[in-house]
Amino acid sequence: MARAVLFERTGGPEVLTVRDVETPAPGPGELRIRVEAIGLNRAEVLFRTGAYLTSPRLPSGLGCEAVGTVDALGPGVEGFAPGERVDVLPVFSQNDYPTYGDLVLVPAAATVHRPRGLDPVQAAALWMPYLTAYGALAADGHLRPGDHALITAASSSVGLAAIRTARHLGAVPIATTRTRAKRQQLLDAGAAHVIVTGEQDLPAEVAAITAGRGARTAFDPVSGPGVEDLARALAPGGALIVYGRLDPRPTPLPGADTFAPITSRFYTVFEVATDPERLRRAVAFITAGLDTGTLAPLVDRVFDGLDDIADAHRYLESNAQVGKIVVTVRH
């Protein structure tokens, strides 16, 4: 038997239960992974509550990335062997391959050999943040050395990865946070400047930091009316990239009030994850950054065992973290 986290109705963390399930057998193109650690993502909260881009098929599992060792191979799988340490990339639907469990099935195409030097907890904190940041900031070459990158909600795991990705590209990361509580941690994580939006005027601060030029790129998971301030903080020709909807209020067209010469668009990690060539380049970029030390996983807190999954989700929803939340898996 295997153990898996399931929920029968959408709702708060209390709907999550750990149950014994039949040990899954891998089919063609699949691996069975003996899971060592799971990285938590905001997408899993949205999926659990029924507010994600896709709705859960109840009763449902959840989770979209994990790390562990290969336990079994399905027909036609090459390049892996039982016992190898691997990481599962978030490139599939949680309905199809949920990863909250101790023995889970995943597509071989979504699996990579673990970069050397990473333990399971570090590996579980790596891929979603850096794949997301790579696709938004590095993939198209828009952000250049010397440019300023405005990164909002910067204490999230993706925000921290974006800070380091911007520095890896030679750009200047400007982080935002609502209160002073996380200011020093963002500076320690590599932000060149931190704007406390609860106290400071964001467009004015960006103008002062950039000598009036504005930021080349704004990377934002919040959306809502705040995009108007982000548009005012951008340089002519700048880009606003929105990758979340933490603010449920309607989002106006950025720059509509001033006819600002900027571009804006929505973005998800699946733009990279579902394109094999772009994914290959992303993995190469991240691995190279690990080798040079410019990129590194940042872990806020580790929960011990699947039985702590509801508490881990409560902590994720508290927004108290600075970095990734990881749940280890006992066997």
Side-chain angles (χ1 to χ4, degrees):
M1 298 292 286
R3 300 181 80 219
V5 176
L6 300 171
F7 61 105
E8 295 186 346
R9 58 186 174 87
T10 57
E14 70 279 357
V15 304
L16 301 177
T17 61
V18 182
R19 301 183 189 178
D20 291 332
V21 296
E22 292 295 327
T23 302
E30 295 179 339
L31 297 174
R32 186 169 68 215
I33 304 298
R34 185 178 176 88
V35 178
E36 296 174 297
I38 301 162
L40 268 57
N41 298 291
R42 183 69 59 175
E44 286 133 40
V45 171
L46 297 174
F47 190 71
R48 188 201 74 220
T49 59
Y52 193 52
L53 297 173
T54 56
S55 298
R57 296 194 293 262
L58 300 173
S60 177
L62 75 167
C64 56
E65 60 178 337
V67 303
T69 58
V70 176
D71 186 67
L73 286 71
V77 173
E78 298 179 351
F80 297 97
E84 287 185 327
R85 297 173 179 173
V86 292
D87 300 344
V88 182
L89 308 183
V91 303
F92 45 78
S93 168
Q94 296 181 68
N95 275 316
D96 297 333
Y97 293 101
T99 58
Y100 284 19
D102 60 0
L103 286 169
V104 303
L105 298 183
V106 296
T111 308
V112 296
H113 293 94
R114 187 175 307 160
R116 62 180 180 271
L118 295 184
D119 63 30
V121 169
Q122 292 170 321
L126 179 69
W127 293 106
M128 177 66 90
Y130 279 104
L131 285 173
T132 304
Y134 167 84
L137 301 180
D140 66 359
H142 179 80
L143 187 64
R144 306 161 303 193
D147 288 339
H148 289 81
L150 180 60
I151 300 163
T152 66
S155 61
S156 69
S157 59
V158 173
L160 295 173
I163 289 172
R164 295 202 171 193
T165 299
R167 281 205 173 275
H168 187 64
L169 296 170
V172 182
I174 305 170
T176 79
T177 181
R178 287 181 293 177
T179 70
R180 289 188 172 272
K182 298 177 180 179
R183 181 179 184 277
Q184 189 57 50
Q185 289 169 290
L186 291 172
L187 291 170
D188 293 343
H193 308 273
V194 177
I195 299 172
V196 180
T197 56
E199 303 174 12
Q200 298 173 290
D201 180 272
L202 187 144
E205 292 297 321
V206 171
I209 291 167
T210 63
R213 293 188 298 273
R216 174 75 170 172
T217 299
F219 185 46
D220 175 58
V222 181
S223 67
V227 299
E228 294 180 318
D229 276 348
L230 298 180
R232 286 191 284 272
L234 286 173
L240 168 59
I241 302 170
V242 176
Y243 69 100
R245 196 172 60 188
L246 297 177
D247 188 335
R249 293 176 293 175
T251 300
L253 177 65
D257 54 343
T258 62
F259 275 48
I262 62 170
T263 60
S264 61
R265 72 180 187 93
F266 292 99
Y267 162 80
T268 75
V269 69
F270 294 106
E271 293 183 25
V272 171
T274 57
D275 183 321
E277 178 59 20
R278 294 186 75 186
L279 183 60
R280 183 191 68 79
R281 292 181 181 277
V283 171
F285 177 91
I286 294 165
T287 302
L290 292 172
D291 289 342
T292 62
T294 55
L295 305 182
L298 295 170
V299 179
D300 176 272
R301 183 172 173 183
V302 179
F303 287 80
D304 184 19
L306 291 175
D307 291 323
D308 286 344
I309 195 69
D311 287 339
H313 268 239
R314 290 186 186 96
Y315 183 64
L316 176 60
E317 291 184 274
S318 76
N319 295 319
Q321 71 274 16
V322 179
K324 191 80 163 181
I325 301 167
V326 175
V327 178
T328 56
V329 178
R330 301 177 187 177
H331 290 271

